[in-house]
Amino acid sequence: MKRFQNRTEAGQFLASLLTQYSDRADVLVLGLPRGGVPIAFEIAAALHVPLDIFLVRKLGVPGHEELAMGAIASGDVRVLNQDVVEMQQISDTALEQVTQREQQELQRREHLYRGDRPILPITDRIVILVDDGLATGATMRAAVMAVRQHQPQEVVVAVPVGARQAYEQLSPQVEAIICAVLPERFNSVGAWYEAFPQTSDREVCELLQRTQERTQDGASLSSRLGV
């Protein structure tokens, strides 16, 4: 079963499975920082569609942070898992404290990655959410819930590799999942890459800058050609 050399190759391979979305004005690729951005960059470049980031921060139950009671995301979206909130008897005060802490981190990353660039519109578009893999799927499920608040036309999840259980749990929540490798024995996301270094903040910023420059160059060419 295929192992990818790195995130760049994974993105290029995944793009070959997404050709039905090429050159469409209603398609938007959203990379989940940090590891999903290099893959999303390759997909957007190959499909000739816009790229943006979509930041998600899990709201962990105090003392049991691995358990998500909700999530916040780009665009001032907060999604709550009411079952967990009620079962864990989370007070409004505790919920607001966790939300405020994670909001500060989300805003720090938004400012670092985006600067003054506005969020690209999501409403009525086919949104392709990209990460470097699905392990538990918790982050992607939170992203899907948050993106739905913006009323997209469709939500498509695209990942190079995924755990079967996470894939099956996520499938009913989206219009499509494109997963290049779905092994019986998953182990970890990194096990399916030859090189799997942590994506840095600097790399995310550089890829977004390259995306902006590519968009400006394309607009300039279209203007010169009178398109």
Side-chain angles (χ1 to χ4, degrees):
M1 194 169 285
K2 182 175 179 61
R3 294 178 76 221
F4 302 101
Q5 288 187 352
N6 49 37
R7 290 181 178 89
T8 297
E9 189 204 26
Q12 293 168 351
F13 184 84
L14 199 53
S16 72
L17 306 179
L18 293 160
T19 54
Q20 68 268 38
Y21 301 105
S22 294
D23 298 298
R24 292 186 54 169
D26 60 346
V27 172
L28 172 64
V29 174
L30 294 179
L32 302 190
R34 290 184 294 242
V37 176
I39 295 172
F41 177 84
E42 297 298 332
I43 293 171
L47 301 185
H48 310 119
V49 297
L51 168 69
D52 204 349
I53 55 172
F54 195 79
L55 278 162
V56 177
R57 295 293 298 176
K58 182 175 69 175
L59 302 177
V61 171
H64 302 279
E65 280 71 20
E66 74 285 352
L67 179 60
M69 59 182 176
I72 58 173
S74 298
D76 294 325
V77 171
R78 184 174 79 170
V79 178
L80 296 180
N81 186 338
Q82 292 292 351
D83 291 342
V84 172
V85 171
E86 294 171 6
M87 182 175 61
Q88 296 293 321
Q89 299 181 330
I90 305 298
S91 69
D92 290 344
T93 299
L95 180 58
E96 291 305 321
Q97 287 175 342
V98 173
T99 299
Q100 185 177 16
R101 182 177 68 245
E102 295 301 335
Q103 186 69 44
Q104 289 174 348
E105 176 60 17
L106 187 145
Q107 289 173 347
R108 184 193 73 81
R109 291 193 181 195
E110 282 275 13
H111 179 72
L112 177 64
Y113 298 157
R114 192 182 300 283
D116 296 329
R117 292 190 298 270
I119 298 173
L120 295 181
I122 293 175
T123 303
D124 294 331
R125 302 181 86 167
I126 297 174
V127 174
I128 304 177
L129 280 170
V130 181
D131 207 353
D132 52 17
L134 285 178
T136 66
T139 299
M140 186 61 79
R141 287 197 301 273
V144 169
M145 287 190 292
V147 165
R148 290 286 189 200
Q149 304 297 307
H150 294 272
Q151 299 181 322
Q153 179 187 154
E154 295 180 14
V155 177
V156 176
V157 169
V159 291
V161 61
R164 188 168 296 275
Q165 183 177 4
Y167 178 94
E168 292 173 351
Q169 289 176 344
L170 190 61
S171 291
Q173 301 176 31
V174 296
E175 278 67 36
I177 300 182
I178 309 301
C179 183
V181 180
L182 195 64
E184 290 297 330
R185 294 186 178 183
F186 177 74
N187 295 321
S188 67
V189 171
W192 297 93
Y193 293 81
E194 298 290 344
F196 194 66
Q198 185 178 42
T199 303
S200 66
D201 286 338
R202 180 177 179 179
E203 183 177 359
V204 171
C205 293
E206 288 176 349
L207 290 174
L208 293 175
Q209 181 62 34
R210 287 171 61 188
T211 296
Q212 187 177 31
E213 292 169 355
R214 184 175 64 206
T215 301
Q216 291 170 345
D217 289 344
S220 177
L221 178 60
S222 296
S223 177
R224 292 199 301 272
L225 295 175
V227 177

